[in-house]
Amino acid sequence: MIKNVGGVDRILRIVVGLVLLSLVWIVPTNWGWLGLIPLLTGLVNFCPAYTLLGMNTCKVDPKV
């Protein structure tokens, strides 16, 4: 899998994912489960939408 999510983007995705997931317990809503998407893409450094759009925020060699 080719890495296409860089440093700041990765941190923001993880933080946003955790904040959205916390909504599941703070405010009883199912919308918080959408936080799994940015959390997982931040943890694995890969975003399928970036591949479709031809974007890459990773500054290092993407094949490593």
Side-chain angles (χ1 to χ4, degrees):
M1 194 164 25
I2 298 172
K3 293 181 181 180
N4 62 3
V5 176
V8 174
D9 190 14
R10 180 177 185 220
I11 298 299
L12 286 174
R13 286 173 182 266
I14 292 171
V15 169
V16 168
L18 290 173
V19 167
L20 287 173
L21 279 174
S22 69
L23 289 177
V24 174
W25 290 277
I26 296 172
V27 180
T29 179
N30 287 332
W31 285 102
W33 292 110
L34 288 176
L36 286 174
I37 297 168
L39 180 63
L40 291 176
T41 58
L43 291 175
V44 298
N45 291 340
F46 177 75
C47 178
Y50 275 11
T51 303
L52 292 174
L53 297 172
M55 295 176 62
N56 187 352
T57 59
C58 189
K59 292 183 182 180
V60 296
D61 185 16
K63 297 187 190 259
V64 177

